[in-house]
Amino acid sequence: MTSTRQRIDAEGRAYSVKDNPFLAATISVVPEVGERIAMRFGYPRVPGKTTRVPYFVDEAIKEAGFRVTSPFNMAAATLAYEPSVRLLTGNGPQAIDRQTARLRDILTDTAAVRATGVEHMNA
């Protein structure tokens, strides 16, 4: 989501985006408890080295001004799609199959719109 807050200009300098259109989106993420479990059991341990980011993703995304959704059951796949910015998010690897199916629907609907010139309400 960093790229929604900053861009790189033609000279390679970073600049902040004002009126960020992606703030319209709800972002689906794994909740902090899921990250804590992954930290305990899923991250590699390298003595004397940090192997993960020093923050929780859901909190960082909220602090950036986005709405966040995550399921009570962190193993349940949760998707969030915002058609106005064409952003589809999922809450981790358990959501990949659902994201793929939803993306296929979105692209099929978009191709149908282009072919017919008719807009679909759920695209």
Side-chain angles (χ1 to χ4, degrees), residues 31-109:
E32 180 181 326
V33 67
E35 283 195 71
R36 287 188 181 278
I37 290 169
M39 283 186 335
R40 178 72 173 102
F41 300 106
Y43 283 93
R45 301 204 189 293
V46 179
K49 302 290 183 179
T50 301
T51 58
R52 73 169 308 274
V53 295
Y55 55 84
F56 294 101
V57 173
D58 62 333
E59 291 302 319
I61 292 173
K62 286 177 193 173
E63 288 174 15
F66 293 89
R67 291 182 311 274
V68 172
T69 185
S70 55
F72 180 72
N73 173 359
M74 67 189 157
T78 301
L79 302 182
Y81 178 59
E82 176 52 52
S84 69
V85 290
R86 296 181 178 165
L87 181 64
L88 175 65
T89 62
N91 64 322
Q94 68 276 16
I96 290 173
D97 289 340
R98 288 194 55 207
Q99 280 181 292
T100 301
R102 181 69 176 114
L103 185 58
R104 188 174 289 120
D105 291 343
I106 292 165
L107 292 173
T108 299
D109 288 348

Side-chain angles (χ1 to χ4, degrees), residues 12 28 53 105 114 117 122:
S28 178
V53 295
D105 291 343
R114 285 190 192 132
N122 64 351

